[in-house]
Amino acid sequence: MRTDPSIAHPWDVDDEKARDIQRALAGRVRLEPLPAEGDRAPRLAAGVDVGYSRDGTRAWAAVVVMDRAFRVLEKTVVPTEPDRHY
């Protein structure tokens, strides 16, 4: 997978710059229906979520990848320490 150089950005930024990056990326999101069958139908789908401890010092990122038949092909949970605490 290649990264689009037009959306590349540094990761170690302050809160204001992070908000600016999020706003810029949000403007590039395309919402459009995808066909359920045929050549343009997605072969895989992924769901991603992040949960935080009550005090915000721990986080768990989870991802699940499924195929068209809803078979789970991959799943993982990664515990980490957030780089920002809110």
Side-chain angles (χ1 to χ4, degrees), residues 28-80:
R28 296 178 60 110
V29 173
R30 289 181 8 196
L31 299 177
E32 60 186 63
L34 295 172
E37 298 178 17
D39 293 342
R40 292 195 57 235
R43 292 182 306 115
L44 303 174
V48 179
D49 195 16
V50 177
Y52 295 89
S53 62
R54 288 185 189 269
D55 65 2
T57 61
R58 299 291 301 151
W60 295 264
V63 63
V64 175
V65 179
M66 298 169 52
D67 66 10
R68 290 183 186 176
F70 298 100
R71 290 183 297 246
V72 174
L73 303 178
E74 189 72 40
K75 61 183 176 180
T76 192
V77 175
V78 178
T80 188

